[in-house]
Amino acid sequence: MPLRVLIIPDKFKGTLTAPAAARAIARGWHEARPQDCLDLLPMSDGGDGFGEVTSALLNARIRHVRTVNAARRPCVARWWWEPRTRTAIIESAAVIGLAMLPPKQFHPFDLDTLGLGAVISAAVRQGATRCLMGIGGSATNDGGFGLARALGWQFLDHDGHLIERWTGLCRLDRIRQPRRRRWFARWLAASDVQNRLLGPRGATRVYGPQKGLRPRDFALAERCLGRLAMVVRRQLGCDFARQPGAGAAGGLGFGLLAFLGAELKPGFDVFARQAGLARRVRAADLVITGEGAIDASTLMGKGVGQVARRCRELGLPCIGLAGVVGDGRGIAEYFSRTHALTELTTVKQAKAKPAHWLERLARRAAEGVNEVGVLCGRADGSGKHVCCCRLSSHLNSLPGPLTSCA
């Protein structure tokens, strides 16, 4: 019996974008089960790929602007514009992202969020009144200091001297506000994590190491961000540092709250609303999701884990595909079946030809559907499923036609 299959992967970080992963999964699934109806829905929870995924959902047009990356080196950054709703889509990782820098060439003490200011200014000049910003994947740990400076905020020490590097925030005495404090009628920041700014689970200690911070750097970084949070609380009257998501992107979440009036939302929730996810999940007989690694962290707010949770609530089978799959009781509880690229090849080969191996893995998963009874409890056996093949227009065509359900 033909099945309605929703294919909704996140990126396979460092190897495949979410759209590329969706296409590879669809090709492999189609080889084994050409009769099934495939609905491709690449996702992003606010990190790398947010712009590409969100702009496709809103039919937004790409724009370019000259700015600087996190190391203040000149670059040309992408953003997206949807004129009907006057919405700007900005992906922080495409400007100040870790992937924008040569590996291990810069220390986070020398990086900041300044370059985002030019992108925001370009969106305002275009006429944007609404902004959707994905803030994950940054190389920075400056609490939004650079962005705030780019948009007119001034940070002064006890002698009234301007602080120009975020590592000087330990001397911060007061903040001078710009005349303009509101840039968009609504500014929605999609955060891929819910950490607070400070403490053992804050930006510095949890995410700093992957950006290059060493344990000996933690004290200074924490002291600078702590001083920033204290002065903001004293002058602005709000303890933004304690809000969930304030620690996202090295504290960029905090800066957006404190200086720019943005709303922080879990990135997956932003994506789900824009994509009409609830409707598309309910229309499916089976959901396939995936990312680079499915492990315990997948169920801690990541998009793939959120998809699996929703499927579990609906009693809908959910297959997880990944480069590697970790052990854990939770994984077995939320996924009907998981498959790893390491079942087929080595990690080195999987990274060298990720689309090829993911296609083969999807084919294997499709071949095992009937054998493992993954669909029990959802298919009614009537054979009266009627739908068409729904391939999003922004994705490349698959080889060969897909067969509609009859």
Side-chain angles (χ1 to χ4, degrees):
M1 182 178 67
L3 301 174
R4 297 167 296 192
V5 182
L6 175 61
I7 298 175
I8 178 172
D10 204 334
K11 63 187 175 296
F12 282 57
K13 194 163 187 175
T15 57
L16 289 172
T17 65
R23 291 192 292 267
I25 293 169
R27 287 194 298 269
W29 193 274
H30 180 63
E31 287 178 15
R33 295 184 58 88
Q35 75 277 19
D36 289 347
C37 298
L38 307 182
D39 182 9
L40 275 64
L41 182 60
M43 76 166 147
S44 170
D45 58 7
D48 306 75
F50 176 85
E52 183 180 11
V53 168
T54 308
S55 63
L57 292 172
L58 300 183
N59 294 316
R61 305 167 187 172
I62 194 167
R63 293 285 186 267
H64 294 90
V65 61
R66 293 186 181 277
T67 184
V68 294
N69 63 21
R72 300 198 185 181
R73 302 301 194 268
C75 68
V76 176
R78 298 171 299 158
W79 64 284
W80 293 262
W81 167 241
E82 200 292 288
R84 185 181 63 82
T85 58
R86 302 178 70 177
T87 298
I89 300 166
I90 299 173
E91 179 187 322
S92 295
V95 185
I96 55 161
L98 198 58
M100 300 282 289
L101 302 174
K104 299 181 179 179
Q105 188 168 326
F106 299 98
H107 190 280
F109 285 170
D110 301 318
L111 306 176
D112 66 22
T113 53
L114 183 82
L116 285 172
V119 187
I120 290 161
S121 296
V124 171
R125 289 194 301 272
Q126 184 72 55
T129 58
R130 179 171 174 255
C131 179
L132 297 177
M133 176 184 277
I135 66 173
S138 80
T140 58
N141 200 78
D142 75 340
F145 166 80
L147 173 57
R149 288 189 65 235
L151 297 181
W153 291 76
Q154 295 182 334
F155 300 82
L156 300 96
D157 64 16
H158 290 279
D159 298 319
H161 297 144
L162 289 175
I163 296 171
E164 298 184 348
R165 290 167 54 91
W166 77 272
T167 48
L169 286 171
C170 55
R171 306 191 312 273
L172 182 65
D173 179 65
R174 65 188 184 279
I175 300 170
R176 187 177 294 156
Q177 303 179 30
R179 290 184 178 180
R180 181 172 187 170
R181 291 189 55 187
R182 193 163 184 85
W183 293 80
F184 304 104
R186 190 174 189 197
W187 189 334
L188 201 61
S191 168
D192 58 345
V193 299
Q194 292 296 292
N195 302 68
R196 296 179 179 182
L197 180 65
L198 304 168
R201 300 298 302 167
T204 297
R205 288 187 171 89
V206 175
Y207 303 107
Q210 67 192 38
K211 303 175 185 185
L213 285 178
R214 296 153 296 195
R216 64 175 178 268
D217 301 323
F218 292 172
L220 176 58
E222 194 82 346
R223 189 161 67 251
C224 290
L225 295 183
R227 182 72 184 178
L228 177 63
M230 186 274 289
V231 175
V232 165
R233 184 173 64 249
R234 185 182 69 202
Q235 285 195 217
L236 304 183
C238 290
D239 190 4
F240 294 109
R242 298 178 65 84
Q243 292 200 24
L252 177 58
F254 170 85
L256 290 169
L257 287 167
F259 308 121
L260 300 169
E263 302 172 59
L264 276 185
K265 298 287 185 182
F268 180 78
D269 292 349
V270 174
F271 161 77
R273 182 174 181 180
Q274 299 296 329
L277 180 62
R279 169 181 53 80
R280 293 170 85 160
V281 168
R282 284 194 294 266
D285 298 304
L286 170 67
V287 173
I288 304 171
T289 186
E291 60 182 336
I294 292 178
D295 52 27
S297 68
T298 299
L299 303 177
M300 296 180 182
K302 286 188 176 182
V304 169
Q306 295 283 60
V307 169
R309 286 180 189 275
R310 294 196 179 198
C311 290
R312 187 183 188 218
E313 291 169 359
L314 294 170
L316 181 64
C318 181
I319 294 176
L321 306 181
V324 294
V325 176
D327 297 325
R329 180 180 175 185
I331 293 173
E333 289 180 357
Y334 284 91
F335 292 91
S336 306
R337 193 80 179 264
T338 56
H339 298 271
L341 295 179
T342 50
E343 297 171 14
L344 303 177
T345 187
T346 65
V347 171
K348 183 178 180 180
Q349 286 297 319
K351 288 183 176 180
K353 299 175 68 177
H356 166 76
W357 290 109
L358 184 56
E359 183 176 330
R360 286 190 56 181
L361 190 67
R363 185 173 65 205
R364 169 183 279 198
E367 291 169 347
V369 163
N370 291 332
E371 298 171 15
V372 300
V374 145
L375 300 170
C376 62
R378 180 64 192 229
D380 61 9
S382 68
K384 294 182 180 179
H385 295 284
V386 179
C387 66
C388 62
C389 301
R390 297 166 292 175
L391 293 179
S392 301
S393 60
H394 67 283
L395 296 174
N396 295 336
S397 298
L398 298 173
L402 290 175
T403 304
S404 297
C405 299

